[in-house]
Amino acid sequence: MNALAAADLGAMLQLVPVQRAGAALLLAAVGLPVIGVVIVGLDIMPVRFAMMHVALLGIAIGLLTGLDPMSCALVACALSGAGVAPLARTPAGLSGAMGLLMSLAIAAALLLLAVSGVNASGAFALLWGSILSVGTADLVVLGALAVTVPTLFWWRRRDVALLLYDRELAQCSGVPVRFLTTALLVLVAVSVAGAIKLTGALLVDALTLLPALAARRLGRSLWSITLWTVGIGVAVNATGFLLALWLDWPPGPVLVLTAGTVVLAAHLIPERRTSSWRAPASVTPASLPSSH
């Protein structure tokens, strides 16, 4: 029975759609978990939900105009991420903006689909993902994120570390806070949109947030957390995808459960008694941990 299952799995891995899906997950494992570090570091959890709704609005616009729905979703999320950046001075301000954006986006999407008479099944199908329909354009987007996100973290590692540690300290240290925050929010927004086809809008945390939560338990600095995040992302995506193929289960839920298991296992490890890369209530420049 095991030999037969292995043979079936080997045959499936020869199929082009499966190979594209696997390549997409490996590319996603490089860039998207690092975005999870940004989400946790900036404490902007509501951004994920807001961008899911904005992506649905972009898909609706694409269906109405005849343009590629995923391209419209990416553009809509990028513009939204840049648009809310000025409101990101405090986590509370950004949370309020995300709540407003989420409500307006879903209302506009539903109204647009209802008034236009466009078949909404294609739009809402992306709530559950469609990993085997990954195309060349999706691979290009994920490949660009796999290069851009780690490169930005390495190139501006000190600035990113300061910003995620404490915004006011970063401002006083000469970090271009407004520009860097905007760039990070745009990357977060585009990453959420780019991951929707892989796991669905409802399960996008498997590729972004969950590896970062596990890595925070294992790393001592922002840079080590980032490396742990990518490693966990690759392991989770590869294991979850192969397991889903072997069991003939939907990949999205399997990826979430695999990532969730890793997070729970990481939290069984005793917490290190070292200073966090996140800022405490009171912080001085001398207490800032290294970004390496």
Side-chain angles (χ1 to χ4, degrees), residues 136-226:
T136 302
D138 302 303
L139 292 175
V140 169
V141 171
L142 293 170
L145 288 170
V147 173
T148 302
V149 176
T151 298
L152 177 63
F153 258 60
W154 173 253
W155 175 46
R156 305 302 293 267
R157 56 190 180 278
R158 175 185 175 275
D159 293 348
V160 171
L162 280 168
L163 177 62
L164 299 186
Y165 187 74
D166 184 83
R167 184 185 177 90
E168 293 183 1
L169 181 60
Q171 187 83 54
C172 296
S173 302
V175 175
V177 169
R178 187 170 300 178
F179 169 78
L180 191 56
T181 301
T182 301
L184 290 175
L185 284 175
V186 169
L187 286 175
V188 168
V190 172
S191 297
V192 171
I196 284 178
K197 186 176 284 189
L198 301 182
T199 62
L202 301 178
L203 301 176
V204 72
D205 285 348
L207 303 181
T208 55
L209 188 62
L210 295 184
L213 292 177
R216 285 188 67 194
R217 194 76 176 186
L218 302 172
R220 292 176 177 267
S221 66
L222 177 60
W223 188 243
S224 66
I225 288 172
T226 303

Side-chain angles (χ1 to χ4, degrees), residues 12-13 15-29 130-136 138-139 142 194 197-199 207 237-238 240-242 244-245 251-252 255:
M12 283 188 289
L13 291 176
L15 300 175
V16 173
V18 174
Q19 292 175 354
R20 286 184 175 177
L25 284 173
L26 289 179
L27 290 173
S130 182
I131 192 170
L132 294 180
S133 67
V134 167
T136 302
D138 302 303
L139 292 175
L142 293 170
K197 186 176 284 189
L198 301 182
T199 62
L207 303 181
N237 287 5
F241 185 55
L242 290 175
L245 291 176
L255 287 168

Side-chain angles (χ1 to χ4, degrees), residues 210 235-241 243 251-263:
L210 295 184
V236 165
N237 287 5
T239 302
F241 185 55
L243 189 61
V254 175
L255 287 168
V256 172
L257 292 174
T258 304
T261 301
V262 173
V263 173

Side-chain angles (χ1 to χ4, degrees), residues 54-55 57-79 193:
V54 171
L57 174 59
I59 291 169
I61 293 173
L63 292 174
L64 178 62
T65 60
L67 300 174
D68 179 60
M70 286 308 300
S71 297
C72 292
L74 288 169
V75 172
C77 286
L79 292 176

